[in-house]
Amino acid sequence: MTTQCTLTYDGKRLTGPVDQPLIEFLAAHGITLPHVCYHPSLGALETCDACWVEVDGELKRGCTLSSREGLTISADQAHARAAREEGMDRLLAKHELYCTVCENNNGDCTLHNTMVDMQIPIQRYEFQRKPYEKDTSSPFYTYDPDQCILCGRCVEACQNVEVNETLSIDFSSDNPRVLWDGGKPINDSSCVHCGHCVTVCPCNALLENSMEGKAGPFTAMPWSLKRPMIEIVKKLETTTGAVPVSGLSEIDMNLRQPEIKRTKTVCTYCGVGCAFELWTRDRHILKVQPVPEAPANGISTCIKGKFGWDFVNSKQRLTMPLIRDNGRFREASWDEALALVARRLLEVRDRHGADSLGFIGSSKASNEEAYLTQKIARRIIGTNNVDNSSRYCQNPATKGLFRTVGYGGDAGTIADIAKADVVVIVGSNTAENHPVIAARIKAAQKQHGQKLIVVDPRKHELAERADLFLRPKASTDLIWASALSRYMFDHGLADTAFLDRWVSHVDEYRESLEPFTLDFAEQKTGISRQLLGEAAEMIGRGERVCLLWAMGITQHSHGSDTSTALSNLLLVTGNYGRPGTGGYPMRGHNNVQGASDFGCLRNMYPGYDKVTDPEARERWARGWGVDPEQLSPEVGEGNFLMVQSADEGRIKAMYIIGEETAFSDSNTHNVHTAFEKLEFMVVQDMFLSRTAEFADVVLPACPSVEKEGTFVNTERRIQRFYQALEPLGDSRPDWRILTELAARMGHDWGYTHPSQIMAECAGISPMFAGVTYERLEGWRSLLWPVAADGTDSPLLYTDGFPNEDGKANLHPLEWQEPDEAADEEYDLMLDNGRMREHFQGTNQTGRSAGLWDQVPGGFVEVSPELAAERGIEEGTWVRITSRRDSLELPAVITDRVAGKTLFLPIHFGKPGVNQLTGEHNDPDVQTPAYKETAVKLEVLDRRGEPPLPAHNYRYGRRTPTQGVEVEVKWARGDYTLPPAQQSNPRKM
């Protein structure tokens, strides 16, 4: 198959990839074909009429052409040039040019750059204001119709990239504009504030509020001065000409560039691993700008990744070490604080033994910082009591994958999920918790017919969009998954060729499925036999199936077994090792995968070497320059058990980095009691968190934008992030704090840059052998395992499984009842989880007024049927009581929940939901069964405003289209093809 071609452009023969968009083909040869509406992530929208070329004597929009052998194009011919200039004139008629005082005159304005490149001599069509006000209702961005050129980029991004389906353009209107839900204000619509529309806007029609008055030397002027200047410029553009005016704006743009710093970083929120540029001017964050080159997300973001960065400059940031004296914190120098921490930790070790200390690494800090956390625990203290927050969420998923296929991570990439014929989502509110991945799924469903099965007690967005929605009773997912596996064998849908070649224990596993009939599954799960059969047929007959799951599966008393059952189902149907297949446990924190990968686990060194394996222990001892006898062979305690041991007096000291354990661990009362019993406690964090309030020493750390390092996202992708800002006050990067602490404990490792830490780890761990900072430069990334030559593994299991025989294992299971269930007194089950707008305990998102505006407080979701039965209205306060404690909250009445299931967002109030949860846990990995909380409900004599504001996007009504309906514009009687002049260019 030919991959190269040669075409002729204005007499020049150019060679490059075949079937590449012409605009990009030419750009690779240093040739700019003028264009405005075209964007590499959006394709040809055909709205701007600025890219005309001539092919075989006929005018064609250049954005619609792709490279092919023998193609001959003329762009410099007078007819094509006149058509392009007419197209640009029409755009300028709709746009009030005032570049020098515009926030977006920073080199990033496609309209400005194209106009200058084309050397438009005069603005031929006079600009006239449109009969609409600027929409400033959103706390995050504005829409100015007087700047809007109706290119439709924002509509395409909303409809077909994010697939939120809020934006449209009514080209049939006398005065077309971009519409939110057909004409609602932005903040009263279904807009989720993902920022896609702002990112792709080619001018300043859509603009981040954080840019307002901050982007250049003249942008801070009040409008009382700006407006007269603009009016003067308008007259100049139609008399003296546009060239001098654009020349002035070019000078302004070039003056701004040295003041604006653009830094590649990786998002600090969920596990998708979105990368983008952070634009800063001094310490002010101007905006987040995604780029097509970002490997996980491209141009996509969510509300938090695009707009949730206020915490970086929060006045509540810790900037000096704190030491508790007589029950109160006082500021201290780093010398005093680190000396105290080093002395006390060694004293506790020497007095009570190494296992009297526990270390909790951060799922938000870098891989290098996770590595140092476990190195201090193992190499200096001598304990394997080290863990991270994956204990609270994803360890059961990892256990299920280790049992069956051998690697504790996603089988493939986000791109593989989009390639699947069938996607099954279980116990994951992907649209809110991993919006960028959800966008890929929604786009594949909308544009390519991908089938979507959702299994969840709660009807979230993807459940509403699903081809098949199954609503099981709580804690019964192992049953339906095993019943579907049996169905595959019984109905000839099992992939016998795959099983024979690649899977062990098939017969034993098949025998274990005997109890799991569809009748038994229907009885136990509440899902009808018919729906179970439909799901089985869809999965069994799908050529490529991906299965995603999250905390709705893992946070149960037998989450490891259920995760195993899901992976078993994929093996039975042959859905591993091929593009578009595999199991995908969705990681919740930006580096919860990396914290585990790099050794913050009680039983694993970095790269998942077992601490009980003598060969692995010898290799790590050799790498660290110590005798193997100095490294403990005993599995340590995870964070859940550490807290219990502290309560029982066995753990005497704890070091907690960037984790809100006092908020996130189950049964809050026991957690707080345990912390109070510790002899010594250190917390390293950006804020005085609830956990830090118990500490003896608090060390001020930096967010990711104030340091360098690497993260691993949910798809095992290792990415670099770079320092955009200097550390605030006297805060310090975690890696530097840990390096200096180790030196004060007698181990001067001498790291001066995180790359040295990664190099050390890669030199010891086979999984990361080829990982170097050079190979991660810029937008490049690597997916582990990475061979020494730098070859990485985007898709796992293509040539077998990492077990001794090269095969996967089907793992027999038995159904076990949940440890906690409803009864006559505690007659309801309390589900809980995250929301799109907030993150964990709101230590970061809680610093953003805009995010609070969307969801200002906590609430409990109550089903319409339960509300009718108990006399509950929107805003009625209720008391929810578990077997441990009570919470009082206002109610939201919604069919997102059904029957006797309630839902409580985890973010609000400290201690919040974990005041109600218990200590029952998965016996295999000790993950608390947060989702198994039985409660009773009391209606209080108290009424309030609806907890979710009327402007919350959940009340919006989307307006789905197939994208930009440019055909409506072309069909108007007053539309003419360029180069003919347009009678009314402002209106289309």
Side-chain angles (χ1 to χ4, degrees):
M1 182 177 177
T2 304
T3 58
Q4 296 288 106
C5 68
T6 299
L7 57 79
T8 303
Y9 183 84
D10 282 341
K12 298 178 182 177
R13 289 175 57 82
L14 307 174
T15 300
V18 69
D19 203 30
Q20 184 179 23
L22 178 64
I23 289 172
E24 296 175 37
F25 183 98
L26 295 175
H29 290 84
I31 300 170
T32 299
L33 175 62
H35 63 277
V36 176
C37 70
Y38 179 85
H39 187 286
S41 298
L42 303 176
L45 305 183
E46 302 186 64
T47 57
C48 75
D49 282 337
C51 63
W52 292 98
V53 294
E54 191 171 283
V55 180
D56 297 329
E58 184 181 355
L59 285 179
K60 298 278 189 181
R61 292 181 177 89
C63 64
T64 66
L65 300 175
S66 296
S67 56
R68 57 180 169 83
E69 183 64 33
L71 181 65
T72 299
I73 303 162
S74 175
D76 201 33
Q77 189 266 353
H79 197 48
R81 190 166 57 249
R84 290 196 301 272
E85 291 179 358
E86 169 64 19
M88 177 56 72
D89 284 338
R90 295 179 186 183
L91 294 180
L92 296 180
K94 293 186 280 283
H95 181 79
E96 186 179 24
L97 281 168
Y98 48 72
C99 299
T100 307
V101 294
C102 173
E103 278 78 5
N104 218 37
N105 191 37
N106 46 41
D108 196 44
C109 180
T110 305
L111 180 64
H112 171 272
N113 297 345
T114 306
M115 178 193 71
V116 171
D117 288 345
M118 292 177 69
Q119 297 181 313
I120 299 296
I122 191 168
Q123 184 166 347
R124 185 152 46 84
Y125 296 116
E126 183 181 355
F127 170 80
Q128 293 181 12
R129 298 182 66 83
K130 297 164 191 168
Y132 307 115
E133 295 297 318
K134 188 175 182 179
D135 189 337
T136 60
S137 63
S138 167
F140 305 108
Y141 68 94
T142 60
Y143 171 60
D144 189 346
D146 279 341
Q147 304 301 339
C148 181
I149 59 175
L150 302 178
C151 68
R153 278 191 182 187
C154 58
V155 174
E156 180 68 15
C158 184
Q159 291 286 342
N160 292 326
V161 179
E162 165 65 15
V163 198
N164 198 58
E165 301 174 315
T166 299
L167 272 60
S168 61
I169 298 176
D170 182 7
F171 279 117
S172 63
S173 167
D174 283 345
N175 290 282
R177 61 169 171 157
V178 176
L179 302 174
W180 278 254
D181 288 351
K184 295 280 189 182
I186 295 171
N187 212 38
D188 291 336
S189 72
S190 61
C191 174
V192 296
H193 301 285
C194 65
H196 279 51
C197 59
V198 189
T199 293
V200 299
C201 182
C203 54
N204 64 331
L206 288 160
L207 190 71
E208 298 90 343
N209 291 347
S210 53
M211 293 275 284
E212 188 73 34
K214 302 288 186 181
F218 301 109
T219 60
M221 287 192 304
W223 275 98
S224 59
L225 293 177
K226 281 186 183 180
R227 175 49 59 189
M229 291 177 63
I230 292 168
E231 297 301 333
I232 293 171
V233 170
K234 294 294 101 183
K235 290 184 173 57
L236 286 173
E237 285 169 351
T238 55
T239 55
T240 306
V243 174
V245 174
S246 62
L248 182 62
S249 70
E250 284 285 285
I251 294 171
D252 170 69
M253 183 185 74
N254 287 309
L255 285 173
R256 294 187 193 190
Q257 297 309 304
E259 297 182 353
I260 297 176
K261 183 179 179 183
R262 307 181 187 193
T263 308
K264 183 249 182 164
T265 191
V266 179
C267 188
T268 189
Y269 287 109
C270 81
V272 174
C274 294
F276 34 68
E277 288 182 341
L278 195 75
W279 286 38
T280 55
R281 191 174 181 224
D282 299 322
R283 277 203 69 88
H284 181 74
I285 297 174
L286 290 168
K287 66 173 177 175
V288 161
Q289 184 71 359
V291 299
E293 295 82 4
N297 61 300
I299 62 168
S300 294
T301 46
C302 75
I303 185 173
K304 297 188 292 290
K306 179 75 172 175
F307 299 114
W309 294 87
D310 303 75
F311 71 91
V312 171
N313 288 314
S314 169
K315 293 180 180 178
Q316 283 75 47
R317 280 274 307 275
L318 295 173
T319 58
M320 289 287 289
L322 303 175
I323 292 176
R324 187 183 298 278
D325 271 347
N326 299 317
R328 294 173 176 267
F329 284 121
R330 62 170 175 83
E331 290 188 348
S333 68
W334 277 101
D335 281 344
E336 181 186 10
L338 289 175
L340 175 62
V341 171
R343 176 173 59 81
R344 291 297 305 277
L345 293 180
L346 293 175
E347 286 176 354
V348 171
R349 181 198 65 181
D350 295 343
R351 188 164 62 248
H352 301 291
D355 288 338
S356 68
L357 290 91
F359 293 80
I360 298 179
S362 176
S363 59
K364 304 196 74 57
S366 69
N367 298 319
E368 295 77 13
E369 290 157 347
Y371 177 85
L372 291 185
T373 302
Q374 62 87 38
K375 186 178 180 183
I376 287 174
R378 293 182 164 118
R379 171 68 183 86
I380 298 178
I381 300 299
T383 184
N384 286 318
N385 290 345
V386 60
D387 208 2
N388 74 89
S389 72
S390 66
R391 186 70 50 195
Y392 298 136
C393 53
Q394 284 303 329
N395 275 9
T398 303
K399 182 73 172 180
L401 292 173
F402 277 139
R403 284 173 172 172
T404 53
V405 292
Y407 281 128
D410 286 3
T413 65
I414 296 169
D416 279 295
I417 299 172
K419 292 174 186 173
D421 298 310
V422 179
V423 168
V424 186
I425 299 178
V426 188
S428 169
N429 184 358
T430 317
E432 294 200 46
N433 298 166
H434 304 92
V436 169
I437 290 178
R440 300 292 185 269
I441 295 168
K442 291 188 286 184
Q445 183 192 42
K446 182 175 182 178
Q447 297 161 23
H448 306 296
Q450 183 183 80
K451 298 297 183 183
L452 176 61
I453 300 172
V454 171
V455 188
D456 204 289
R458 191 162 174 262
K459 190 172 69 174
H460 47 67
E461 181 187 341
L462 288 189
E464 293 174 347
R465 292 178 178 268
D467 297 278
L468 199 61
F469 174 38
L470 312 181
R471 206 166 198 166
K473 295 176 183 176
S475 306
T476 63
D477 296 278
L478 182 147
I479 296 173
W480 67 257
S482 299
L484 264 56
S485 286
R486 174 171 172 168
Y487 185 101
M488 303 303 169
F489 284 113
D490 292 349
H491 292 79
L493 295 176
D495 190 336
T496 53
F498 177 84
L499 292 171
D500 291 344
R501 173 68 180 87
W502 292 114
V503 184
S504 299
H505 310 301
V506 177
D507 292 338
E508 179 188 355
Y509 173 69
R510 187 170 183 179
E511 288 175 11
S512 76
L513 295 176
E514 183 179 355
F516 296 103
T517 64
L518 290 187
D519 288 337
F520 176 68
E522 181 179 53
Q523 173 195 343
K524 282 291 192 180
T525 68
I527 304 171
S528 73
R529 181 189 174 102
Q530 177 185 344
L531 283 176
L532 289 167
E534 288 180 30
E537 289 288 326
M538 196 178 292
I539 293 169
R541 298 189 187 281
E543 179 66 24
R544 299 178 300 276
V545 180
C546 287
L547 197 154
L548 286 59
W549 73 101
M551 293 186 293
I553 290 297
T554 60
Q555 292 182 333
H556 291 265
S557 52
H558 303 291
S560 293
D561 285 350
T562 304
S563 297
T564 305
L566 297 175
S567 190
N568 281 339
L569 176 59
L570 288 168
L571 286 171
V572 169
T573 53
N575 279 298
Y576 272 112
R578 294 179 291 116
T581 68
Y584 295 79
M586 296 287 97
R587 305 310 192 186
H589 288 233
N590 63 307
N591 204 41
V592 70
Q593 181 72 54
S596 299
D597 296 343
F598 283 81
C600 279
L601 289 172
R602 61 181 187 158
N603 59 336
M604 303 278 193
Y605 293 112
Y608 299 99
D609 290 329
K610 295 178 180 178
V611 300
T612 55
D613 179 354
E615 290 185 12
R617 197 163 57 252
E618 195 278 334
R619 176 157 40 79
W620 281 96
R622 184 171 64 250
W624 288 341
V626 299
D627 191 287
E629 300 301 315
Q630 291 183 251
L631 299 181
S632 172
E634 304 296 327
V635 171
E637 292 188 341
N639 44 19
F640 178 73
L641 292 179
M642 283 185 223
V643 173
Q644 288 189 332
S645 292
D647 196 33
E648 295 164 5
R650 295 192 302 277
I651 293 281
K652 305 292 185 180
M654 290 187 72
Y655 197 120
I656 300 175
I657 302 173
E659 293 297 338
E660 185 64 296
T661 310
F663 178 70
S664 56
D665 206 332
S666 64
N667 198 341
T668 298
H669 301 285
N670 291 357
V671 179
H672 293 184
T673 301
F675 286 165
E676 289 167 350
K677 291 180 179 179
L678 289 170
E679 290 184 13
F680 189 64
M681 181 175 176
V682 183
V683 171
Q684 195 165 297
D685 211 328
M686 294 185 295
F687 298 99
L688 191 66
S689 63
R690 185 72 183 94
T691 306
E693 291 174 5
F694 292 93
D696 296 287
V697 179
V698 181
L699 302 176
C702 292
S704 57
V705 296
E706 294 175 3
K707 58 187 178 184
E708 289 193 48
T710 62
F711 292 143
V712 185
N713 77 341
T714 191
E715 56 182 349
R716 300 173 287 105
R717 187 183 301 277
I718 307 169
Q719 300 181 87
R720 279 186 73 172
F721 59 89
Y722 296 81
Q723 183 174 340
L725 301 170
E726 290 300 313
L728 188 65
D730 207 10
S731 62
R732 294 182 180 179
D734 295 89
W735 69 266
R736 183 179 164 198
I737 297 171
L738 295 170
T739 299
E740 293 181 10
L741 175 62
R744 290 173 183 271
M745 298 169 81
H747 297 262
D748 189 354
W749 295 325
Y751 308 120
T752 59
H753 191 269
S755 60
Q756 298 163 332
I757 305 168
M758 178 61 78
E760 177 180 301
C761 180
I764 305 171
S765 170
M767 181 174 280
F768 306 118
V771 178
T772 68
Y773 268 43
E774 289 74 23
R775 287 176 176 150
L776 298 172
E777 189 71 33
W779 302 101
R780 291 188 291 173
S781 61
L782 296 167
L783 292 90
W784 63 251
V786 184
D789 65 358
T791 302
D792 67 343
S793 310
L795 181 63
L796 297 176
Y797 317 123
T798 55
D799 55 357
F801 296 84
N803 298 313
E804 287 187 11
D805 60 0
K807 291 187 174 185
N809 297 300
L810 279 168
H811 190 91
L813 299 162
E814 293 183 5
W815 159 244
Q816 300 178 69
E817 294 284 349
D819 285 357
E820 180 163 311
D823 58 20
E824 287 189 10
E825 181 180 2
Y826 298 95
D827 60 329
L828 309 175
M829 291 302 294
L830 179 65
D831 195 5
N832 56 79
R834 298 173 178 142
M835 300 183 74
R836 183 191 299 262
E837 297 89 341
H838 282 294
F839 195 77
Q840 293 307 103
T842 70
N843 283 340
Q844 290 164 272
T845 56
R847 319 292 168 177
S848 169
L851 294 175
W852 278 118
D853 173 78
Q854 302 302 298
V855 185
F859 56 87
V860 60
E861 290 185 350
V862 179
S863 69
E865 53 267 39
L866 186 64
E869 175 189 313
R870 307 277 176 105
I872 302 170
E873 299 175 353
E874 193 87 0
T876 297
W877 280 71
V878 297
R879 179 180 295 119
I880 303 169
T881 303
S882 73
R883 294 180 173 104
R884 287 153 290 276
D885 208 335
S886 299
L887 287 178
E888 294 182 2
L889 294 156
V892 168
I893 315 302
T894 174
D895 66 357
R896 286 189 289 272
V897 290
K900 292 191 172 184
T901 297
L902 308 174
F903 177 83
L904 185 65
I906 65 172
H907 312 293
F908 305 102
K910 295 187 178 183
V913 65
N914 289 330
Q915 191 165 313
L916 306 179
T917 56
E919 293 190 321
H920 50 296
N921 61 87
D922 184 319
D924 294 307
V925 293
Q926 286 75 54
T927 295
Y930 296 100
K931 302 293 192 283
E932 291 176 10
T933 304
V935 298
K936 56 186 176 182
L937 182 147
E938 177 186 353
V939 181
L940 303 177
D941 186 19
R942 182 179 172 191
R943 301 290 184 272
E945 293 295 317
L948 279 176
H951 61 253
N952 186 276
Y953 80 89
R954 293 168 180 83
Y955 296 121
R957 293 291 178 265
R958 298 184 179 96
T959 51
T961 70
Q962 290 306 306
V964 185
E965 298 173 320
V966 69
E967 297 84 0
V968 178
K969 169 182 171 179
W970 296 339
R972 287 181 58 140
D974 52 357
Y975 175 78
T976 57
L977 279 171
Q981 293 189 17
Q982 184 71 47
S983 62
N984 199 354
R986 295 180 299 280
K987 294 193 174 185
M988 66 189 70

